[in-house]
Amino acid sequence: MFNLDQLERAQATVHAAMPPTPAHAWPLLAARLGTGVVVKHENHTPIGAFKVRGGLVYVDRLKREQPQTAGIISATRGNHGQSLAFAAARNKLPLTIYVPHGNSTEKNRAMRAFGANLVEYGADFQESREEAERHAKREGLHIVPSFHRDLVLGVSTYALELFRAAGDLDVLYVPIGQGSGICGCILARDLLGLKTEIVGVQSTEAPSYALSFAAGKVVSTNSSNTRADGMATRVPDSEAFEIIRKGASRIVQVSDDEIAAAIRAYWTDTHNLAEGAGAAALAAAFQEKARLGGKRVGLILSGGNIDFELFRKWVMADPVVQKVMMA
C-alpha cells in the first residue's frame, strides 16, 4: 500500500499539525494484567482520537492533486467526521458530514464546532454512508470513504511512533471499526521488520470482521448495537479485510460489560478517559490475561470521546463504582 519513505513523509504532514502522542507504561495496569504493558494514547490528539491523522494526510493530498475540489462529504459515527472537519478547516475546504439519528450528541457538537455541515440520516452508520454517497453524486462533491489508502497511511503514523518508541512489543491489541487503525499497525510493523503479534478487537454486538476472519471471506451483519460506537460496523471493507486476514493473529470479541470494566480501569489506574472503542484493547487483554504472562503488551487507546450521559448510564452503572467515583 505504501513504503517506509512515504510513511515518514506522512508523519511529517501529521506532525506539522500536532505533536506525537505519548506511549506510557502504567504500573497499575501492569499489575492487573500481570505483565508489562504500554498504552499508546491516541486520546491525546487535537480531536481526542487517532483518526485525525488520516484526515490530515487525505486532505493534504487532495488539495495538492485536486485543488479545484469544491467540497468534501462523508459519513461517520464521530471520530472520522471530526478528523475530516479538523483537516478541512485547516485547508479551508467545505465539508458535509452524515451521521445516523441518535448519534453521539457531543461528537455532533464537536464536528459542528470544527466547521462541518452536519446532516442526520438513517438508523445506523451504513444507512448514513449510503445517503452520503447519493448526496455526493447529486451535488458533485468529493466523497471521502471510511477506508482509503491515504487514511491508512495517516493513521499508520501512530504505529510508527509506537514501534519506534517500543519496538520490543510481543503483542499489540487494536480495536477494529472500519479497519484503518489495525491495518496501519500491520503495515507499519511489516515495514519495520518487526515480529509483534497484532490482535484485532471487536464488540460481540458488532462482530462483522471477526466473523469474516473466521470464515475467510467478507461477512456482513444485520445489526451493530454496541455502545462502543467506534466499532459499530455492519459491513467490512474488503480491502481492509484482506490486510487483516493476512497480518493479524486473531480477532477477540469483547462484550459491552467488559468494555465498561476496561473504561473504569483506565480511569482508576491512569486517570485517562477512554471511549468504548478506546477501551476495547484493554478489555481484550483482560480476557486473554492467562496467555500474556511474560509478554510485553501494547494497547491502543484509540480515543476518549465518550458522551457524559453514556458514561454515566453505562460505565458508572455499578453502584459500587458510582460510590467510589463520586466520593
Side-chain angles (χ1 to χ4, degrees):
M1 189 174 275
F2 46 80
N3 59 37
L4 185 56
D5 182 63
Q6 291 169 322
L7 178 53
E8 290 175 335
R9 288 202 300 270
Q11 186 177 61
T13 298
V14 170
H15 288 174
M18 56 170 275
T21 58
H24 291 315
W26 295 98
L28 290 175
L29 285 182
R32 284 184 189 264
L33 284 172
T35 193
V37 60
V38 175
V39 179
K40 181 59 170 169
H41 283 281
E42 289 298 283
N43 57 317
H44 290 181
T45 76
I47 70 163
F50 78 103
K51 284 184 179 288
V52 67
R53 300 168 180 270
L56 287 166
V57 171
Y58 188 101
V59 174
D60 175 74
R61 181 169 177 172
L62 180 68
K63 286 290 287 184
R64 285 186 286 106
E65 297 186 355
Q66 300 179 40
Q68 75 285 0
T69 300
I72 59 178
I73 185 170
S74 193
T76 188
R77 288 299 304 265
N79 289 336
H80 173 64
Q82 288 186 70
S83 167
L84 293 177
F86 181 83
R90 284 178 59 86
N91 288 274
K92 298 179 173 59
L93 192 62
L95 167 68
T96 296
I97 287 290
Y98 274 76
V99 300
H101 290 293
N103 195 55
S104 162
T105 300
E106 292 170 22
K107 287 181 181 178
N108 288 355
R109 289 179 60 230
M111 285 183 277
R112 289 191 175 106
F114 282 125
N117 171 36
L118 197 78
V119 180
E120 296 182 75
Y121 182 94
D124 62 14
F125 167 73
Q126 187 63 25
E127 291 185 4
S128 295
R129 179 166 68 175
E130 291 168 359
E131 181 60 20
E133 291 170 352
R134 290 189 287 267
H135 186 149
K137 291 178 181 178
R138 289 195 306 267
E139 303 295 331
L141 300 176
H142 178 93
I143 184 78
V144 182
S146 299
F147 187 89
H148 182 276
R149 178 260 188 195
D150 289 341
L151 297 176
V152 178
L153 176 59
V155 301
S156 294
T157 63
Y158 85 65
L160 183 63
E161 291 172 7
L162 174 61
F163 286 135
R164 283 186 164 165
D168 59 345
L169 294 176
D170 296 301
V171 58
L172 177 65
Y173 288 92
V174 189
I176 303 175
Q178 201 59 46
S180 62
I182 188 171
C183 288
C185 290
I186 290 168
L187 295 168
R189 174 200 64 186
D190 293 349
L191 287 174
L192 293 173
L194 301 175
K195 301 299 182 182
T196 305
E197 179 185 27
I198 294 179
V199 179
V201 186
Q202 280 215 291
S203 166
T204 55
E205 304 305 309
S208 58
Y209 277 96
L211 296 175
S212 301
F213 194 84
K217 63 180 181 180
V218 171
V219 176
S220 301
T221 60
N222 294 322
S223 66
S224 54
N225 295 322
T226 174
R227 290 173 170 176
D229 56 4
M231 299 192 294
T233 300
R234 286 199 290 116
V235 182
D237 181 274
S238 58
E239 187 177 7
F241 169 67
E242 283 303 313
I243 295 172
I244 295 168
R245 183 178 66 84
K246 295 175 182 177
S249 171
R250 59 189 176 280
I251 296 178
V252 177
Q253 296 185 47
V254 293
S255 70
D256 278 6
D257 285 346
E258 289 177 299
I259 292 171
I263 294 173
R264 292 194 290 266
Y266 266 133
W267 180 256
T268 58
D269 292 2
T270 77
H271 290 168
N272 276 266
L273 184 60
E275 62 185 84
L282 178 58
F286 284 155
Q287 189 182 116
E288 297 199 331
K289 179 179 177 179
R291 69 192 297 169
L292 297 179
K295 293 185 177 181
R296 187 160 166 80
V297 178
L299 304 172
I300 303 302
L301 201 173
S302 58
N305 298 324
I306 184 171
D307 280 8
F308 179 76
E309 189 63 16
L310 177 60
F311 178 79
R312 185 181 68 81
K313 290 181 177 179
W314 177 26
V315 181
M316 296 181 66
D318 185 332
V320 175
V321 174
Q322 288 190 34
K323 184 177 181 180
V324 170
M325 295 185 71
M326 298 301 288

Coordinates of all heavy atoms in Angstrom, one line a residue, residues 79-143:
N79 N -15.6 10.1 15.1 CA -14.2 10.4 15.0 C -13.7 10.6 13.6 O -12.8 11.5 13.4 CB -13.4 9.3 15.8 CG -13.6 9.4 17.3 OD1 -14.0 10.4 17.8 ND2 -13.4 8.2 17.9
H80 N -14.1 9.8 12.7 CA -13.8 10.0 11.3 C -14.3 11.4 10.8 O -13.5 12.2 10.2 CB -14.4 8.9 10.4 CG -14.3 9.1 8.9 ND1 -13.1 9.1 8.3 CD2 -15.2 9.3 8.0 CE1 -13.3 9.3 7.0 NE2 -14.5 9.4 6.8
G81 N -15.5 11.8 11.2 CA -16.0 13.1 10.9 C -15.2 14.2 11.5 O -15.0 15.3 10.9
Q82 N -14.8 14.1 12.8 CA -14.0 15.1 13.4 C -12.7 15.2 12.8 O -12.2 16.4 12.6 CB -13.9 14.8 14.9 CG -15.1 14.9 15.7 CD -14.8 14.7 17.2 OE1 -14.1 15.5 17.8 NE2 -15.3 13.6 17.8
S83 N -12.1 14.1 12.3 CA -10.8 14.1 11.6 C -10.9 15.0 10.4 O -10.1 15.9 10.1 CB -10.4 12.7 11.3 OG -9.3 12.7 10.4
L84 N -12.0 14.7 9.6 CA -12.1 15.5 8.3 C -12.4 16.9 8.6 O -12.0 17.8 7.9 CB -13.2 14.8 7.5 CG -12.9 13.4 6.9 CD1 -14.1 12.9 6.2 CD2 -11.7 13.4 6.0
A85 N -13.3 17.2 9.6 CA -13.6 18.6 9.9 C -12.3 19.3 10.4 O -12.2 20.5 9.9 CB -14.6 18.6 11.0
F86 N -11.5 18.7 11.2 CA -10.3 19.4 11.6 C -9.4 19.7 10.4 O -8.8 20.8 10.2 CB -9.5 18.5 12.6 CG -8.2 19.0 13.1 CD1 -8.3 19.9 14.2 CD2 -7.0 18.7 12.6 CE1 -7.1 20.4 14.7 CE2 -5.8 19.2 13.1 CZ -5.9 20.1 14.2
A87 N -9.2 18.7 9.5 CA -8.3 18.8 8.3 C -8.9 19.8 7.3 O -8.2 20.6 6.7 CB -8.1 17.5 7.7
A88 N -10.2 19.7 7.1 CA -10.9 20.6 6.1 C -10.8 22.1 6.6 O -10.6 23.0 5.8 CB -12.4 20.2 6.0
A89 N -11.0 22.3 7.9 CA -10.8 23.7 8.4 C -9.4 24.2 8.2 O -9.3 25.4 7.8 CB -11.2 23.7 9.9
R90 N -8.4 23.4 8.4 CA -7.0 23.8 8.2 C -6.8 24.2 6.7 O -5.9 25.0 6.4 CB -6.1 22.7 8.6 CG -5.9 22.6 10.2 CD -4.9 21.5 10.5 NE -3.6 21.7 9.9 CZ -2.6 22.4 10.5 NH1 -2.8 23.0 11.6 NH2 -1.4 22.4 9.9
N91 N -7.5 23.5 5.8 CA -7.3 23.7 4.4 C -8.4 24.5 3.7 O -8.5 24.6 2.5 CB -7.2 22.4 3.7 CG -5.9 21.7 4.0 OD1 -4.9 21.9 3.4 ND2 -5.9 20.8 5.0
K92 N -9.3 25.1 4.6 CA -10.4 26.0 4.1 C -11.2 25.3 3.0 O -11.5 25.8 1.9 CB -9.8 27.3 3.6 CG -9.1 28.1 4.6 CD -8.6 29.4 4.1 CE -8.0 30.3 5.2 NZ -7.0 29.7 6.0
L93 N -11.6 24.1 3.3 CA -12.4 23.2 2.4 C -13.8 22.9 3.0 O -13.8 22.4 4.1 CB -11.6 21.9 2.1 CG -12.1 21.0 1.0 CD1 -12.0 21.8 -0.4 CD2 -11.2 19.8 0.9
P94 N -14.9 23.2 2.3 CA -16.2 23.0 2.9 C -16.4 21.5 3.1 O -15.9 20.6 2.2 CB -17.1 23.5 1.8 CG -16.3 24.5 1.0 CD -14.9 24.0 1.0
L95 N -17.1 21.1 4.1 CA -17.3 19.7 4.5 C -18.7 19.4 4.9 O -19.3 20.2 5.7 CB -16.4 19.3 5.6 CG -16.6 17.9 6.3 CD1 -16.4 16.8 5.4 CD2 -15.8 17.8 7.6
T96 N -19.3 18.4 4.4 CA -20.6 17.9 4.8 C -20.5 16.5 5.4 O -19.8 15.7 4.8 CB -21.7 17.8 3.7 OG1 -21.9 19.2 3.2 CG2 -23.0 17.3 4.1
I97 N -21.0 16.3 6.6 CA -20.9 15.0 7.3 C -22.3 14.5 7.6 O -23.2 15.2 8.1 CB -20.1 15.1 8.6 CG1 -18.6 15.4 8.3 CG2 -20.3 13.9 9.5 CD1 -17.9 14.1 7.8
Y98 N -22.5 13.2 7.2 CA -23.7 12.5 7.6 C -23.5 11.6 8.8 O -22.5 10.9 8.9 CB -24.2 11.6 6.4 CG -25.0 12.3 5.4 CD1 -24.5 13.2 4.5 CD2 -26.4 12.1 5.3 CE1 -25.3 13.9 3.5 CE2 -27.2 12.8 4.4 CZ -26.6 13.7 3.5 OH -27.4 14.3 2.6
V99 N -24.5 11.7 9.7 CA -24.4 10.8 10.9 C -25.8 10.2 11.0 O -26.8 10.7 10.6 CB -24.1 11.6 12.2 CG1 -22.7 12.2 12.1 CG2 -25.2 12.6 12.5
P100 N -25.9 9.0 11.6 CA -27.2 8.4 11.9 C -28.0 9.1 13.0 O -27.4 9.8 13.8 CB -26.9 6.9 12.3 CG -25.5 7.0 12.9 CD -24.8 8.1 12.1
H101 N -29.3 9.0 13.0 CA -30.1 9.5 14.0 C -29.7 8.9 15.4 O -29.4 7.7 15.4 CB -31.6 9.3 13.8 CG -32.2 10.1 12.6 ND1 -32.3 11.5 12.7 CD2 -32.6 9.8 11.4 CE1 -32.8 12.0 11.6 NE2 -33.0 10.9 10.8
G102 N -29.7 9.7 16.4 CA -29.3 9.1 17.7 C -27.8 9.1 17.9 O -27.3 8.5 18.9
N103 N -27.1 9.7 17.0 CA -25.6 9.7 17.1 C -25.2 10.5 18.4 O -26.0 11.3 18.9 CB -25.0 10.3 15.9 CG -23.5 10.0 15.8 OD1 -23.1 8.9 15.8 ND2 -22.7 11.0 15.6
S104 N -23.9 10.3 18.8 CA -23.4 11.0 19.9 C -23.6 12.5 19.9 O -23.1 13.2 18.9 CB -21.9 10.7 20.1 OG -21.3 11.6 20.9
T105 N -24.3 13.0 20.8 CA -24.6 14.5 20.9 C -23.3 15.3 20.9 O -23.1 16.3 20.3 CB -25.5 14.8 22.1 OG1 -26.7 14.1 22.0 CG2 -25.8 16.3 22.1
E106 N -22.4 14.8 21.8 CA -21.1 15.5 21.9 C -20.2 15.5 20.7 O -19.5 16.4 20.4 CB -20.5 15.1 23.2 CG -21.3 15.5 24.5 CD -20.8 14.8 25.7 OE1 -19.6 14.4 25.8 OE2 -21.6 14.7 26.7
K107 N -20.2 14.3 20.1 CA -19.4 14.2 18.8 C -20.0 15.1 17.7 O -19.3 15.7 17.0 CB -19.3 12.8 18.4 CG -18.4 11.9 19.3 CD -18.3 10.5 18.8 CE -17.4 9.7 19.7 NZ -17.3 8.3 19.3
N108 N -21.3 15.1 17.7 CA -22.0 16.0 16.7 C -21.6 17.5 17.0 O -21.3 18.2 16.0 CB -23.5 15.9 16.8 CG -24.0 14.5 16.2 OD1 -23.3 13.8 15.7 ND2 -25.3 14.3 16.3
R109 N -21.6 17.9 18.2 CA -21.3 19.2 18.6 C -19.8 19.5 18.2 O -19.5 20.6 17.7 CB -21.5 19.5 20.1 CG -22.9 19.5 20.5 CD -23.0 19.7 22.0 NE -22.4 21.0 22.4 CZ -21.5 21.1 23.4 NH1 -21.1 20.0 24.1 NH2 -21.0 22.3 23.7
A110 N -18.9 18.6 18.4 CA -17.5 18.8 18.1 C -17.3 18.9 16.6 O -16.6 19.8 16.1 CB -16.7 17.6 18.6
M111 N -18.0 18.1 15.8 CA -17.9 18.2 14.3 C -18.4 19.6 13.8 O -17.8 20.2 13.0 CB -18.6 17.1 13.6 CG -17.9 15.8 13.7 SD -18.7 14.4 12.9 CE -20.0 13.9 14.1
R112 N -19.5 20.0 14.4 CA -20.0 21.4 14.0 C -19.1 22.5 14.4 O -18.9 23.4 13.7 CB -21.4 21.6 14.6 CG -22.5 20.8 14.0 CD -23.9 21.2 14.5 NE -25.0 20.5 13.8 CZ -25.7 19.6 14.4 NH1 -25.5 19.2 15.7 NH2 -26.7 19.0 13.7
A113 N -18.5 22.3 15.6 CA -17.5 23.3 16.1 C -16.3 23.4 15.2 O -15.8 24.6 15.1 CB -17.1 23.0 17.5
F114 N -15.9 22.3 14.6 CA -14.8 22.4 13.7 C -15.2 22.9 12.3 O -14.4 23.1 11.4 CB -14.1 21.0 13.5 CG -13.2 20.6 14.6 CD1 -13.4 19.4 15.3 CD2 -12.1 21.4 15.0 CE1 -12.6 19.0 16.3 CE2 -11.3 21.0 16.0 CZ -11.5 19.8 16.7
G115 N -16.5 23.1 12.1 CA -17.0 23.8 10.8 C -17.7 22.9 9.9 O -18.1 23.3 8.8
A116 N -18.0 21.6 10.3 CA -18.7 20.7 9.4 C -20.2 21.1 9.3 O -20.8 21.5 10.3 CB -18.6 19.3 9.9
N117 N -20.8 20.9 8.1 CA -22.2 20.9 7.9 C -22.7 19.5 8.2 O -22.5 18.6 7.5 CB -22.6 21.3 6.5 CG -24.0 21.1 6.2 OD1 -24.9 21.4 7.0 ND2 -24.3 20.7 5.0
L118 N -23.5 19.3 9.3 CA -23.9 18.0 9.8 C -25.3 17.7 9.4 O -26.2 18.5 9.6 CB -23.8 18.0 11.3 CG -23.7 16.6 12.0 CD1 -22.4 16.0 11.8 CD2 -24.1 16.6 13.4
V119 N -25.5 16.5 8.8 CA -26.8 16.0 8.4 C -27.1 14.7 9.1 O -26.3 13.8 9.0 CB -26.9 15.8 6.9 CG1 -28.3 15.4 6.5 CG2 -26.5 17.1 6.2
E120 N -28.2 14.6 9.8 CA -28.6 13.4 10.4 C -29.5 12.6 9.5 O -30.5 13.1 9.0 CB -29.3 13.6 11.7 CG -28.5 14.3 12.8 CD -29.2 14.5 14.1 OE1 -29.4 13.6 14.8 OE2 -29.6 15.7 14.4
Y121 N -29.2 11.3 9.3 CA -29.9 10.5 8.3 C -29.7 9.0 8.7 O -28.6 8.6 8.9 CB -29.5 10.7 6.9 CG -30.3 9.9 5.9 CD1 -31.4 10.5 5.2 CD2 -29.9 8.6 5.6 CE1 -32.1 9.8 4.3 CE2 -30.7 7.9 4.6 CZ -31.8 8.5 4.0 OH -32.5 7.7 3.1
G122 N -30.8 8.2 8.7 CA -30.7 6.8 8.8 C -30.6 6.3 10.2 O -30.4 7.0 11.2
A123 N -30.8 5.0 10.3 CA -30.8 4.3 11.6 C -29.5 3.9 12.1 O -29.3 3.7 13.3 CB -31.7 3.1 11.6
D124 N -28.5 3.7 11.2 CA -27.1 3.4 11.6 C -26.1 3.9 10.6 O -26.5 4.6 9.6 CB -27.0 1.8 11.7 CG -27.3 1.1 10.4 OD1 -27.3 1.7 9.3 OD2 -27.5 -0.2 10.5
F125 N -24.9 3.6 10.8 CA -23.8 4.2 10.0 C -23.9 3.8 8.6 O -23.7 4.6 7.6 CB -22.4 3.7 10.5 CG -21.3 3.9 9.6 CD1 -20.8 5.2 9.4 CD2 -20.7 2.9 8.9 CE1 -19.8 5.4 8.5 CE2 -19.7 3.1 8.0 CZ -19.2 4.4 7.8
Q126 N -24.3 2.5 8.3 CA -24.4 2.0 6.9 C -25.4 2.9 6.1 O -25.2 3.3 5.0 CB -24.8 0.6 6.9 CG -24.8 -0.1 5.5 CD -23.4 -0.1 4.8 OE1 -22.4 0.0 5.6 NE2 -23.3 -0.1 3.5
E127 N -26.6 3.1 6.7 CA -27.6 3.9 6.0 C -27.1 5.4 5.8 O -27.4 6.0 4.7 CB -28.9 3.9 6.8 CG -29.6 2.6 6.8 CD -30.9 2.6 7.5 OE1 -31.4 3.7 7.9 OE2 -31.6 1.5 7.6
S128 N -26.4 5.9 6.8 CA -25.8 7.3 6.6 C -24.8 7.3 5.5 O -24.8 8.2 4.7 CB -25.2 7.7 7.9 OG -26.1 7.9 8.9
R129 N -24.0 6.3 5.4 CA -22.9 6.2 4.4 C -23.6 6.1 3.0 O -23.1 6.8 2.1 CB -22.0 5.0 4.6 CG -21.0 4.9 3.5 CD -19.9 3.9 4.0 NE -20.3 2.5 4.0 CZ -19.5 1.5 4.3 NH1 -18.2 1.7 4.5 NH2 -19.9 0.3 4.3
E130 N -24.6 5.3 2.8 CA -25.2 5.2 1.5 C -25.9 6.5 1.1 O -25.8 6.9 -0.1 CB -26.3 4.1 1.6 CG -25.6 2.7 1.7 CD -26.6 1.6 2.1 OE1 -27.8 1.9 2.2 OE2 -26.2 0.4 2.2
E131 N -26.5 7.2 2.0 CA -27.1 8.5 1.7 C -26.0 9.6 1.4 O -26.2 10.4 0.5 CB -28.0 9.0 2.8 CG -28.7 10.3 2.5 CD -29.6 10.3 1.3 OE1 -30.0 9.2 0.9 OE2 -29.9 11.4 0.8
A132 N -24.9 9.5 2.1 CA -23.8 10.5 1.7 C -23.3 10.2 0.3 O -23.0 11.2 -0.4 CB -22.7 10.3 2.8
E133 N -23.2 9.0 -0.1 CA -22.8 8.7 -1.4 C -23.8 9.2 -2.5 O -23.4 9.8 -3.5 CB -22.6 7.2 -1.6 CG -21.4 6.6 -0.8 CD -21.4 5.1 -0.8 OE1 -22.4 4.5 -1.2 OE2 -20.4 4.6 -0.2
R134 N -25.1 9.1 -2.2 CA -26.1 9.7 -3.1 C -26.0 11.2 -3.2 O -26.1 11.8 -4.2 CB -27.5 9.2 -2.6 CG -27.8 7.7 -2.9 CD -29.2 7.4 -2.6 NE -29.6 7.4 -1.2 CZ -29.5 6.3 -0.4 NH1 -29.2 5.2 -0.9 NH2 -29.9 6.4 0.9
H135 N -25.8 11.8 -2.0 CA -25.7 13.3 -1.9 C -24.4 13.7 -2.8 O -24.5 14.7 -3.5 CB -25.5 13.7 -0.5 CG -25.5 15.2 -0.3 ND1 -26.0 15.8 0.9 CD2 -25.0 16.2 -1.0 CE1 -25.8 17.1 0.8 NE2 -25.2 17.4 -0.3
A136 N -23.3 13.0 -2.6 CA -22.1 13.4 -3.4 C -22.4 13.4 -4.9 O -21.9 14.3 -5.6 CB -21.0 12.4 -3.0
K137 N -23.1 12.4 -5.4 CA -23.4 12.3 -6.8 C -24.3 13.5 -7.2 O -24.2 14.0 -8.3 CB -24.1 11.0 -7.1 CG -23.1 9.8 -7.0 CD -23.8 8.4 -7.3 CE -22.8 7.3 -7.1 NZ -23.5 6.0 -7.4
R138 N -25.3 13.8 -6.4 CA -26.2 14.9 -6.7 C -25.5 16.2 -6.8 O -25.8 17.0 -7.7 CB -27.3 15.0 -5.7 CG -28.4 13.9 -5.7 CD -29.6 14.2 -4.8 NE -29.3 14.7 -3.5 CZ -29.3 13.9 -2.4 NH1 -29.5 12.6 -2.6 NH2 -29.0 14.3 -1.2
E139 N -24.6 16.5 -5.9 CA -24.0 17.8 -5.7 C -22.6 17.9 -6.3 O -22.0 19.0 -6.3 CB -24.0 18.2 -4.3 CG -25.4 18.2 -3.6 CD -26.3 19.2 -4.2 OE1 -25.8 20.3 -4.7 OE2 -27.5 19.0 -4.1
G140 N -22.1 16.8 -6.8 CA -20.7 16.8 -7.4 C -19.7 17.1 -6.3 O -18.6 17.7 -6.6
L141 N -19.9 16.5 -5.2 CA -18.9 16.6 -4.1 C -17.9 15.4 -4.1 O -18.3 14.4 -4.5 CB -19.6 16.7 -2.7 CG -20.5 17.9 -2.6 CD1 -21.3 17.8 -1.2 CD2 -19.8 19.3 -2.7
H142 N -16.8 15.6 -3.5 CA -15.8 14.6 -3.4 C -16.2 13.7 -2.1 O -16.2 14.2 -1.0 CB -14.4 15.1 -3.2 CG -13.3 14.1 -3.0 ND1 -12.6 13.6 -4.1 CD2 -12.9 13.5 -1.9 CE1 -11.7 12.7 -3.6 NE2 -11.9 12.6 -2.3
I143 N -16.5 12.4 -2.4 CA -16.8 11.5 -1.3 C -15.6 11.0 -0.6 O -14.7 10.4 -1.3 CB -17.7 10.4 -1.8 CG1 -18.2 9.5 -0.6 CG2 -17.1 9.6 -2.9 CD1 -19.3 10.1 0.2

